Amino acid sequence: GRSPMEHIELPRYIPKTEAHLFRDAMIAWHAGKNLAAVFYLRCFIEQFARRQTGLLKQRKTGDEIMDAYAEVLPKDKRSHLPSLKQWYDRLSEPIHAADEDAAEKLFDDARAEVEHHFELRQALRIAEQ
């Protein structure tokens, strides 16, 4: 049989509703599946933004979703947070090109900045919708 996959503990500031996508990104990364890791991280960002904006079922582009997410952030705190839209766009590039090497080069920085966004959300006491 297969050996069980090691459980990956996530920081407390990662939203629980979408945490499975973040965890899958980390598992894919540790398994050497860089493109899958980037895909799961981008899905994590998108699904969180959809939930925060109420766009769960609407057919919207990534740009529309990420713009709507930026609008729900408090205006006085937006400039303090790493832009999820910027990272969503950057993560899209290796996905659309199916470029494993680009995914490998991007993932660590993207993951760190996405984590930082959520860490600051918690520190700035920005409530989830």
Side-chain angles (χ1 to χ4, degrees):
R2 287 182 2 178
S3 298
M5 180 70 70
E6 182 179 326
H7 179 72
I8 295 177
E9 282 295 320
L10 299 180
R12 291 181 326 187
Y13 46 79
I14 297 297
K16 297 206 182 322
T17 305
E18 295 82 18
H20 66 284
L21 295 167
F22 193 92
R23 185 172 287 110
D24 285 348
M26 298 304 299
I27 290 168
W29 177 250
H30 290 298
K33 297 297 185 181
N34 307 321
L35 200 53
V38 165
F39 173 77
Y40 278 118
L41 188 58
R42 189 181 80 154
C43 286
F44 166 77
I45 293 169
E46 180 177 336
Q47 293 308 305
F48 177 76
R50 281 182 176 277
R51 183 167 59 86
Q52 295 306 294
T53 58
L55 299 173
L56 289 169
K57 302 291 182 191
Q58 288 88 344
R59 189 174 173 106
K60 301 285 183 184
T61 67
D63 284 339
E64 291 170 321
I65 296 161
M66 300 317 297
D67 286 341
Y69 173 69
E71 289 298 316
V72 300
L73 292 171
K75 288 182 182 177
D76 63 330
K77 296 178 178 158
R78 287 180 196 164
S79 64
H80 299 290
L81 301 168
S83 169
L84 288 188
K85 180 179 181 173
Q86 173 194 352
W87 288 104
Y88 182 89
D89 289 344
R90 289 191 62 194
L91 290 164
S92 296
E93 293 169 11
I95 292 170
H96 294 305
D99 187 339
E100 280 279 340
D101 292 333
E104 180 179 17
K105 291 174 187 169
L106 181 64
F107 184 81
D108 269 334
D109 289 339
R111 181 206 42 80
E113 287 300 304
V114 168
E115 277 195 37
H116 192 58
H117 178 92
F118 287 97
E119 183 178 27
L120 287 174
R121 274 185 67 101
Q122 183 181 51
L124 295 171
R125 296 188 173 148
I126 301 172
E128 290 187 29
Q129 302 295 319

